[in-house]
């Protein structure tokens, strides 16, 4: 037995160093892979292949680090869904605060790319709460940099610039310095504070070149090219893009590569080289598959549309224009979603702050009451209770007064049946819009429409059915109108829309969309089946001057022309003038 123990000890003494070396080897590989993940894609992939051979021997902490890097590799290759799944697991069940924090950083980054703004803001809030627990200064700096990055992506460039400037003031070097400089360039570009000769470009390019960060360097070159395009300096833009395209293709980071190709397509088209413009536009669209609401897609489809028009290939032009319009709508819908997500997050933050302040005040009041109870008589305690009651009643009265004021204001401005503007508020709002357009010499249009045979609907099916029609017509048109348009019910079955920065031709198209939407309404939910339609009249300030009275009067005349020529149609006031010239009869 002693001989067996001695042999076992000797065996353990031989194998223990090899285990230790393997552990140190794994830690070394993980560290090197983390260092190279954004600076040298080829070396990073080689290190990941080597780490894969040790996968079964990884400790739980090492496995977390390996999983984090594996997810990064997947995201870099365009598999954001798979990467997100791994990072979400690490965010919840990572073995250390650092790995949870790093996973949150990558999730914030990914949410920005996948346009999941509400979720991104949620992970941002988590990291802000964890920030004080992070002792690794470089990781803490990365947390600040991703905060700046996310705020830029959500369109809050002032906040993005503020965080990037704070990061830049920490005397950084390497990757974090490069990221901070890039964020400053990006923020200032969208805030219109960046010029081609700006020192921000040089310092950012130098920082990312020295730090060997090709992904961030390429992104900076994109903003330089975009500024050149804005200044119509197409040759310089082409030179910047072409001199970097080989490196872009080497690193193959899909979001940047697709935008690079889209900008190349736009630049070649400006230089009248439609063949190369089409080539790069198609490549950009191919790369954006799986991505949503990208600037690259909007630019590429617009290039293909213009190129098809230049070739007189109108069938392709129409197809690409539809794609362009859909991509542009998705892009602007995304901008609206960003704004709403940020406003909602702000509202929640304010609400939490108010609740905390209220709890603090309540706590202080309770402490004061307790001290008073210990030192004062029963009469004083009763007085305090009475005082609290009075304050509560005053607060309740104040809240009710504000609610009543808000309710009265809505009653004064909105039609009670359709919940759109009433005639009184419409008049004041429309006059303000007309005055603004006249001051800026912008065209303003007026659409006035009246439901066809509405009296017959009321007489035959009852006023309840008529009210159903009015509400659904108002709701349908309210969904279709532009954000700045002023839409109101100005009479029984008569509605009016005032459209700023819109000429008669555009207004005719919008009115036609309204007409089609109304005609498509299904009346069966009202309990009866009958057709719904409306007749539309359109005019603009070029025909009727900047006068609300003239605009509504002339639109009314055009509407009556529509009524008299068959109903369920759209007529321009110019048609009324033509009718006068033709037969000398006033419609």
């Amino acid at each position: 037995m002693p001989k067996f123990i001695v042999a076992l000890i000797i065996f353990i003494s031989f194998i223990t160093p090899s285990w230790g070396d393997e552990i140190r080897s794994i830690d070394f590989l993980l560290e090197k892979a983390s260092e190279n993940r954004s600076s040298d894609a080829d070396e990073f992939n080689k290190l990941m292949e080597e780490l894969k051979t040790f996968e079964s021997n990884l400790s739980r902490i090492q496995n977390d680090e390996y999983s984090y890097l594996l997810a990064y590799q997947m995201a870099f290759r365009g598999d954001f869904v798979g990467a997100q799944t791994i990072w979400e697991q690490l965010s919840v069940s990572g073995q250390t605060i650092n790995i949870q924090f790093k996973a949150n950083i990558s999730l914030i980054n990914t949410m920005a790319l996948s346009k999941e703004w509400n979720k991104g803001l949620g992970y941002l809030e988590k990291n802000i709460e964890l920030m004080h627990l992070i002792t690794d200064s470089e990781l803490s700096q990365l947390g600040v940099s991703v905060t700046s990055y996310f705020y830029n992506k959500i369109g809050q460039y002032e906040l993005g610039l503020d965080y990037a400037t704070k990061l830049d003031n920490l005397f950084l070097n390497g990757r974090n310095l490069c990221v901070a400089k890039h964020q400053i360039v990006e923020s200032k570009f969208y805030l219109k504070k960046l010029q081609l000769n700006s020192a921000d470009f040089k310092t950012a390019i130098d920082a990312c070149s020295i730090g060997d960060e090709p992904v961030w360097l390429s992104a900076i070159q994109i903003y330089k090219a975009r500024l050149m395009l804005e200044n119509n300096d197409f040759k310089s833009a082409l030179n910047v893009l072409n001199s970097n395209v080989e490196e872009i293709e080497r690193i193959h980071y899909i979001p940047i590569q697709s935008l690079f190709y889209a900008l190349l397509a736009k630049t070649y088209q400006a230089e009248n080289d439609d063949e190369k413009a089409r080539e790069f536009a198609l490549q950009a669209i191919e790369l954006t598959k799986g991505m949503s609401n990208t600037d690259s897609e909007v630019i590429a489809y617009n290039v293909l549309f213009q190129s098809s028009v230049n070739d007189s290939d109108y069938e392709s032009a129409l197809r690409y224009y539809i794609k362009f319009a859909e991509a542009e709508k998705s892009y602007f819908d995304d901008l609206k979603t960003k704004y709403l997500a940020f406003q909602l997050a702000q509202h929640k933050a304010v609400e939490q702050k108010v609740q905390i302040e209220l709890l603090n005040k309540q706590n202080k009041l309770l402490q004061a009451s307790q001290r008073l109870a210990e030192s004062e008589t029963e009469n004083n305690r009763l007085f305090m209770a009475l005082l609290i009651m009075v304050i509560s009643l005053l607060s309740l009265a104040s809240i009710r007064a504000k609610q009543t004021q808000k309710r009265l204001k809505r009653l004064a401005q909105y039609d009670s049946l359709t919940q759109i503007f009433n005639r009184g508020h419409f008049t004041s709002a429309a006059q303000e819009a007309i005055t603004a357009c006249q001051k800026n010499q912008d065209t303003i249009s007026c659409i006035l429409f009246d439901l066809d045979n509405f009296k017959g609907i009321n007489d035959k099916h009852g006023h309840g059915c008529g009210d159903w029609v009015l509400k659904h017509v108002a709701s349908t048109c309210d969904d279709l109108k532009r954000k700045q348009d002023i839409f109101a019910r100005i009479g029984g079955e008569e509605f009016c829309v005032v459209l700023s920065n819109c000429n008669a031709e555009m207004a005719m198209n919008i009115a036609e969309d309204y007409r089609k939407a109304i005609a498509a309404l299904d009346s069966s939910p009202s309990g009866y089946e009958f057709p719904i339609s409306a007749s539309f009249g359109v005019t603009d300030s070029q025909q009727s001057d900047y006068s609300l009275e003239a605009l509504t009067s002339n639109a009314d005349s055009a509407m009556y022309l529509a009524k008299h020529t068959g109903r369920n149609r759209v007529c321009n006031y110019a048609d009324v003038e033509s009718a006068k010239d033709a037969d000398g009869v006033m419609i």
Side-chain angles (χ1 to χ4, degrees):
M1 190 65 154
K3 289 182 180 179
F4 170 74
I5 293 172
V6 171
L8 182 62
I9 292 170
I10 293 170
F11 174 71
I12 291 172
S13 69
F14 273 108
I15 65 169
T16 300
S18 66
W19 285 349
D21 290 344
E22 183 176 298
I23 292 168
R24 282 194 295 274
S25 175
I26 291 170
D27 288 335
F28 174 79
L29 290 172
L30 287 168
E31 184 180 349
K32 294 302 291 182
S34 181
E35 288 174 2
N36 285 280
R37 70 182 189 274
S38 64
S39 59
D40 191 338
D42 293 336
E43 180 64 19
F44 172 68
N45 290 330
K46 289 177 185 176
L47 289 164
M48 291 299 291
E49 284 297 320
E50 191 172 349
L51 279 164
K52 190 174 182 180
T53 62
F54 295 109
E55 194 171 356
S56 60
N57 297 327
L58 297 175
S59 69
R60 294 177 69 180
I61 291 176
Q62 287 173 338
N63 188 63
D64 280 355
E65 287 290 340
Y66 175 69
S67 297
Y68 170 82
L69 293 170
L70 186 64
Y72 186 94
Q73 188 180 46
M74 293 165 71
F76 200 88
R77 292 171 175 173
D79 183 10
F80 294 104
V81 175
Q84 185 175 321
T85 302
I86 295 173
W87 284 327
E88 284 175 347
Q89 291 171 353
L90 291 173
S91 173
V92 174
S93 56
Q95 296 298 303
T96 65
I97 293 294
N98 279 9
I99 197 67
Q100 292 176 20
F101 190 78
K102 282 168 67 175
N104 289 341
I105 286 173
S106 295
L107 283 167
I108 293 164
N109 193 355
T110 305
M111 298 304 168
L113 292 171
S114 60
K115 323 293 184 183
E116 297 179 78
W117 307 113
N118 285 318
K119 290 178 73 174
L121 286 165
Y123 284 113
L124 193 63
E125 185 179 348
K126 283 184 181 180
N127 259 19
I128 290 170
E129 291 174 357
L130 291 175
M131 188 79 74
H132 71 283
L133 300 174
I134 304 302
T135 56
D136 183 340
S137 61
E138 189 166 339
L139 184 57
S140 177
Q141 291 163 13
L142 189 60
V144 176
S145 71
V146 83
T147 303
S148 170
Y149 173 81
F150 189 84
Y151 278 134
N152 276 356
K153 294 304 175 189
I154 204 170
Q156 300 299 318
Y157 302 110
E158 291 287 359
L159 283 172
L161 181 59
D162 181 53
Y163 275 93
T165 304
K166 287 177 181 176
L167 193 63
D168 191 37
N169 290 336
L170 296 176
F171 303 104
L172 310 171
N173 53 49
R175 186 175 192 272
N176 286 347
L177 177 62
C178 167
V179 173
K181 295 296 186 183
H182 167 270
Q183 296 307 102
I184 290 171
V185 167
E186 185 177 60
S187 302
K188 288 188 174 181
F189 174 82
Y190 287 107
L191 291 169
K192 305 296 182 186
K193 294 180 179 179
L194 194 65
Q195 302 296 327
L196 280 169
N197 58 358
S198 171
D200 292 312
F201 269 128
K202 185 178 185 309
T203 56
I205 290 169
D206 288 345
C208 293
S209 297
I210 294 169
D212 194 19
E213 293 290 341
V215 174
W216 296 106
L217 183 59
S218 301
I220 294 164
Q221 297 289 6
I222 282 176
Y223 290 118
K224 195 170 187 179
R226 291 180 79 165
L227 268 182
M228 290 170 176
L229 285 171
E230 287 179 6
N231 295 335
N232 295 324
D233 187 1
F234 304 119
K235 291 190 184 299
S236 297
L238 200 58
N239 183 51
V240 169
L241 293 167
N242 278 327
S243 62
N244 288 277
V245 71
E246 186 175 332
E247 179 67 4
I248 289 292
E249 290 171 345
R250 185 187 69 79
I251 60 178
H252 194 55
Y253 184 51
I254 301 298
I256 288 181
Q257 189 174 351
S258 63
L259 184 54
F260 229 86
Y261 283 167
L263 291 174
L264 270 169
K266 183 177 180 179
T267 311
Y268 274 122
Q269 187 168 73
E271 288 290 280
N272 300 314
D273 190 342
D274 276 349
E275 184 177 347
K276 284 192 175 179
R278 267 192 301 271
E279 176 190 338
F280 281 106
L282 290 169
Q283 288 186 64
I285 290 167
E286 183 64 25
L287 286 172
T288 58
K289 288 180 180 177
M291 299 167 68
S292 59
N293 310 330
T294 63
D295 203 3
S296 312
E297 197 176 22
V298 175
I299 295 169
Y301 275 124
N302 191 32
V303 167
L304 290 171
F305 160 67
Q306 295 292 343
S307 180
S308 297
V309 170
N310 294 341
D311 290 343
S312 299
D313 183 1
Y314 298 113
E315 184 179 347
S316 296
L318 177 60
R319 186 173 71 255
Y320 286 129
Y321 181 79
I322 291 169
K323 292 284 189 182
F324 162 69
E326 289 172 349
E328 189 176 51
K329 182 181 182 300
S330 297
Y331 181 75
F332 285 117
D333 284 349
D334 182 57
L335 292 179
K336 182 171 69 175
T337 304
K338 289 179 187 180
Y339 176 79
L340 291 175
F342 183 74
Q343 292 300 315
L344 179 62
Q346 278 197 320
H347 172 75
K348 287 182 178 177
V350 170
E351 189 176 37
Q352 288 174 350
K353 185 178 178 182
V354 169
Q355 288 176 347
I356 291 169
E357 289 178 355
L358 181 62
L359 288 171
N360 287 337
K361 288 178 181 179
Q362 289 174 342
N363 187 43
K364 289 178 182 178
L365 185 60
L366 286 171
Q367 290 175 352
S369 298
Q370 288 171 356
R371 287 195 299 269
L372 195 63
E374 294 170 358
S375 60
E376 294 184 352
T377 63
E378 184 68 22
N379 288 336
N380 285 338
R381 288 199 300 272
L382 290 172
F383 175 77
M384 179 58 70
L386 181 62
L387 180 62
I388 293 170
M389 186 182 298
V390 170
I391 292 171
S392 300
L393 288 172
L394 288 173
S395 300
L396 183 62
S398 175
I399 292 168
R400 286 184 175 175
K402 287 181 180 178
Q403 291 174 340
T404 302
Q405 185 180 10
K406 187 176 180 180
R407 195 159 51 245
L408 290 173
K409 183 178 179 182
R410 183 167 184 84
L411 287 171
Q413 293 181 347
Y414 286 81
D415 177 61
S416 59
L417 176 64
T418 60
Q419 297 303 308
I420 61 174
F421 288 157
N422 57 28
R423 188 183 189 100
H425 186 61
F426 167 79
T427 302
S428 60
Q431 191 57 60
E432 287 178 7
I434 290 168
T435 302
C437 285
Q438 185 176 20
K439 182 179 178 181
N440 297 324
Q441 287 301 295
D442 292 330
T443 304
I444 191 166
S445 296
C446 177
I447 300 173
L448 194 143
F449 65 94
D450 185 271
L451 299 181
D452 297 329
N453 302 313
F454 183 73
K455 185 176 184 301
I457 294 172
N458 266 338
D459 292 344
K460 187 174 181 180
H461 304 300
H463 288 280
C465 182
D467 288 348
W468 183 92
V469 172
L470 290 170
K471 286 191 285 187
H472 281 74
V473 166
S475 174
T476 299
C477 295
D478 195 43
D479 290 340
L480 287 174
K481 75 175 180 66
R482 303 177 309 169
K483 184 178 180 181
Q484 70 269 31
D485 294 345
I486 301 164
F487 178 43
R489 180 187 178 198
I490 61 172
E493 67 269 24
E494 197 170 26
F495 299 84
C496 192
V497 190
V498 168
L499 308 93
S500 300
N501 299 308
C502 180
N503 59 29
E505 183 182 353
M506 293 168 62
M508 288 285 288
N509 292 331
I510 293 170
E512 181 61 22
D513 290 340
Y514 289 173
R515 185 195 68 76
K516 289 178 181 177
I518 292 170
L521 284 172
D522 178 15
S523 63
S524 58
S526 70
Y528 305 95
E529 291 191 5
F530 50 86
I532 304 172
S533 66
S535 299
F536 290 76
V538 175
T539 188
D540 64 8
S541 52
Q542 294 176 7
Q543 302 177 74
S544 307
D545 205 5
Y546 293 98
S547 163
L548 179 60
E549 183 178 356
L551 285 165
T552 53
S553 176
N554 291 346
D556 189 58
S557 297
M559 180 195 73
Y560 274 99
L561 178 60
K563 291 275 190 187
H564 286 292
T565 53
R567 295 191 176 92
N568 191 22
R569 62 188 59 206
V570 180
C571 286
N572 193 338
Y573 182 61
D575 301 330
V576 177
E577 293 300 313
S578 298
K580 288 182 188 176
D581 294 341
D583 55 24
V585 177
M586 181 64 181
I587 302 298

